[in-house]
Amino acid sequence: MNQPDKLTDRKRAAIITAAIAEFRARGFEATSMDRIAAEAGVSKRTVYNHFASKDELFEQILQELWDCSAALNAIGYQQGQPLKPQLLELMRQKMAMLRDDYFLDLVRVAIAEAIHAPQRAGDMLTKLGKKEEGVASFLRAAQEDKVLKAGDPAFMSHMLQGQLKSFALWPQVAMGKKPLTPQEQEAVITATVEMFLSYYGLN
């Protein structure tokens, strides 16, 4: 996570980081705004100046999860350029995100809350899911350029990214596996893109 410059932004970032640590250690219900304030090194009033409730703070954590993923949209599809190299680069950036410790902490908090309070987490995830993720936008643009088969870009995005997550996210989050080596990452990325294009590619 980038370090913010302004003091108020640094305090907000510290609160979010503290909330993630507390939610991971104690769960949503057992975590208090007092504990979050203490962990962040700020007053309780400062916490409430930024977030009106624990629910709002948890929603911000989910929002940051979304922002991490949606940032891939910045890559953008390059019309008229070969698709395979673009997909490889897109998946390399996705892989880098999956290796980020901050992102993995966000995932762990979201999963834990989804297990203990699925309604709360589900409502927030549904809200975030209404926005279009970067990979789906990329695939839609490739379809418009007539280099991918027609289909639901969101479904195609899940298929594509799911291959990476099965090797580089869920084993690390759920089973404590070590991160993939650079060689293993590249092997997964290459196989994923080639399988995807063998089914959806038109050129």
Side-chain angles (χ1 to χ4, degrees):
M1 181 173 63
N2 294 331
Q3 293 299 316
D5 296 326
K6 296 180 180 179
L7 178 59
T8 184
D9 292 337
R10 290 199 298 272
K11 287 184 177 179
R12 182 183 178 87
I15 292 166
I16 294 170
T17 300
I20 291 170
E22 289 296 316
F23 289 159
R24 278 195 63 193
R26 305 173 190 281
F28 184 88
E29 293 299 338
T31 295
S32 68
M33 295 295 253
D34 287 307
R35 296 198 67 93
I36 292 171
E39 177 72 18
V42 301
S43 68
K44 185 176 178 180
R45 181 174 181 177
T46 297
V47 174
Y48 278 110
N49 283 341
H50 287 279
F51 303 100
S53 66
K54 278 199 303 180
D55 285 284
E56 186 176 308
L57 188 47
F58 181 68
E59 187 169 0
Q60 178 62 35
I61 289 173
L62 293 184
Q63 181 64 52
E64 296 217 1
L65 258 180
W66 163 261
D67 289 342
C68 286
S69 185
L72 291 171
N73 196 32
I75 298 173
Y77 173 74
Q78 300 297 312
Q79 186 176 13
Q81 298 299 312
L83 177 58
K84 184 176 179 179
Q86 295 188 64
L87 275 176
L88 287 169
E89 180 59 25
L90 187 67
M91 291 300 100
R92 288 185 186 113
Q93 293 205 23
K94 178 72 176 182
M95 182 69 80
M97 183 186 75
L98 296 179
R99 285 177 52 85
D100 182 77
D101 289 337
Y102 181 73
F103 177 80
L104 291 175
D105 276 344
L106 289 172
V107 171
R108 291 184 181 104
V109 170
I111 290 174
E113 190 56 24
I115 292 171
H116 293 108
Q119 184 63 46
R120 178 188 296 115
D123 290 345
M124 294 177 183
L125 288 170
T126 297
K127 185 188 302 183
L128 295 178
K130 292 179 181 178
K131 299 180 180 180
E132 186 174 53
E133 191 198 11
V135 175
S137 296
F138 179 99
L139 298 177
R140 176 175 282 107
Q143 288 175 323
E144 293 170 354
D145 202 25
K146 309 300 183 185
V147 293
L148 282 180
K149 292 179 182 178
D152 178 8
F155 176 82
M156 295 163 66
S157 172
H158 281 301
M159 292 286 288
L160 182 60
Q161 296 183 74
Q163 297 295 321
L164 265 64
K165 291 175 182 177
S166 66
F167 289 95
L169 177 64
W170 303 126
Q172 289 73 23
V173 169
M175 294 178 283
K177 297 289 186 180
K178 293 181 179 179
L180 300 182
T181 66
Q183 294 78 14
E184 290 170 333
Q185 292 175 49
E186 193 62 24
V188 170
I189 289 167
T190 300
T192 295
V193 169
E194 289 181 352
M195 285 191 292
F196 182 82
L197 289 177
S198 71
Y199 185 81
Y200 284 111
L202 289 176
N203 293 339

